[in-house]
Amino acid sequence: EAQVTQNPRYLITVTGKKLTVTCSQNMNHEYMSWYRQDPGLGLRQIYYSMNVEVTDKGDVPEGYKVSRKEKRNFPLILESPSPNQTSLYFCASSLVAGSGYTFGSGTRLTVV
Amino acid sequence: AQSVTQLGSHVSVSEGALVLLRCNYSSSVPPYLFWYVQYPNQGLQLLLKYTTGATLVKGINGFEAEFKKSETSFHLTKPSAHMSDAAEYFCAVSDPNQAGTALIFGKGTTLSVSS
């Protein structure tokens, strides 16, 4: 089944403890992206990648890192999480711009 | 820069009534336009999209949207609401010249359907 898989689905962590949210797609898509969703703010792009080793900042990149060493994987790294990074995170992938993104099921992160 | 405005953060309709969710966009180039639906505790699912060609686009679950360039709008409609349509809906825009980059989302409209 074609899909974008994120792990974990739920995560509670403490301020300052490094964490990684994994994202993998099995559709051979070139484009991948991370979004965060907050009430009243909709979805905002954190980082995106147009291919292996090609990444760029979105609208809200502060406090996040990404890497794209393989086409299928696009992990999101929080080096020192803070409470304002408590949010619902979505990974998405796309073959080309006009096809629209396929989204993962989301990761609900709580930083205390 | 591109932007999306969804008019009405919350829309309530009765079962069987017309659904109309409004979306206006701002873009300096002819955009690609999308509607996504999000059910509780789930990810986003693509309902329909406009890229080029016919301006009336049909999607899944009986939804359709019409691209009106003169009004910079891409409103989502469904002739008869069903209880299962209750969800949050997002309109999004992208720049075809910036392949694979930002999909700019509106803030979402929550649709409630009453019996």
Side-chain angles (χ1 to χ4, degrees):
Chain A
E1 179 188 355
Q3 59 185 357
V4 177
T5 303
Q6 293 177 232
N7 280 296
R9 288 293 308 276
Y10 301 92
L11 178 60
I12 300 174
T13 190
V14 296
T15 298
K17 185 177 181 180
K18 181 179 178 180
L19 67 91
T20 299
V21 183
T22 64
C23 174
S24 180
Q25 51 95 3
N26 62 0
M27 296 167 282
N28 203 35
H29 285 173
E30 291 192 353
Y31 305 105
M32 298 187 74
S33 187
W34 276 102
Y35 286 84
R36 61 177 288 174
Q37 182 180 17
D38 301 289
L41 297 178
L43 287 94
R44 295 176 292 169
Q45 191 181 49
I46 304 170
Y47 269 95
Y48 63 90
S49 170
M50 290 187 284
N51 213 327
V52 175
E53 303 291 3
V54 181
T55 63
D56 207 348
K57 298 176 181 179
D59 294 324
V60 289
E62 294 77 21
Y64 305 94
K65 286 175 56 177
V66 293
S67 69
R68 188 94 181 271
K69 294 184 171 62
E70 306 165 281
K71 197 171 187 178
R72 63 184 291 125
N73 295 324
F74 191 45
L76 179 69
I77 302 157
L78 284 73
E79 294 270 1
S80 183
S82 63
N84 65 11
Q85 292 178 298
T86 292
S87 187
L88 179 58
Y89 292 86
F90 287 103
C91 181
S93 72
S94 172
L95 184 61
V96 294
S99 61
Y101 275 111
T102 299
F103 282 81
S105 298
T107 295
R108 186 168 294 280
L109 172 66
T110 302
V111 184
V112 299
Chain B
Q2 296 178 307
S3 66
V4 174
T5 301
Q6 291 184 238
L7 297 174
S9 60
H10 200 141
V11 171
S12 297
V13 300
S14 299
E15 195 171 20
L18 171 71
V19 175
L20 171 60
L21 304 183
R22 299 178 187 275
C23 172
N24 288 91
Y25 68 90
S26 172
S27 178
S28 58
V29 299
Y32 287 166
L33 294 158
F34 305 84
W35 274 100
Y36 284 85
V37 60
Q38 184 180 29
Y39 298 103
N41 299 314
Q42 294 187 27
L44 281 78
Q45 180 182 7
L46 182 65
L47 269 179
L48 50 78
K49 64 183 180 184
Y50 169 80
T51 55
T52 59
T55 56
L56 181 62
V57 180
K58 295 187 185 299
I60 62 172
N61 302 338
F63 284 93
E64 62 182 38
E66 186 170 12
F67 169 60
K68 291 188 176 181
K69 184 179 178 180
S70 61
E71 298 177 8
T72 60
S73 69
F74 191 56
H75 301 332
L76 182 70
T77 60
K78 182 174 180 178
S80 177
H82 192 271
M83 297 293 286
S84 60
D85 294 326
E88 189 160 20
Y89 292 80
F90 293 93
C91 181
V93 62
S94 72
D95 180 349
N97 298 321
Q98 301 293 325
T101 58
L103 195 60
I104 307 298
F105 285 87
K107 294 184 179 180
T109 297
T110 299
L111 175 66
S112 299
V113 182
S114 58
S115 57

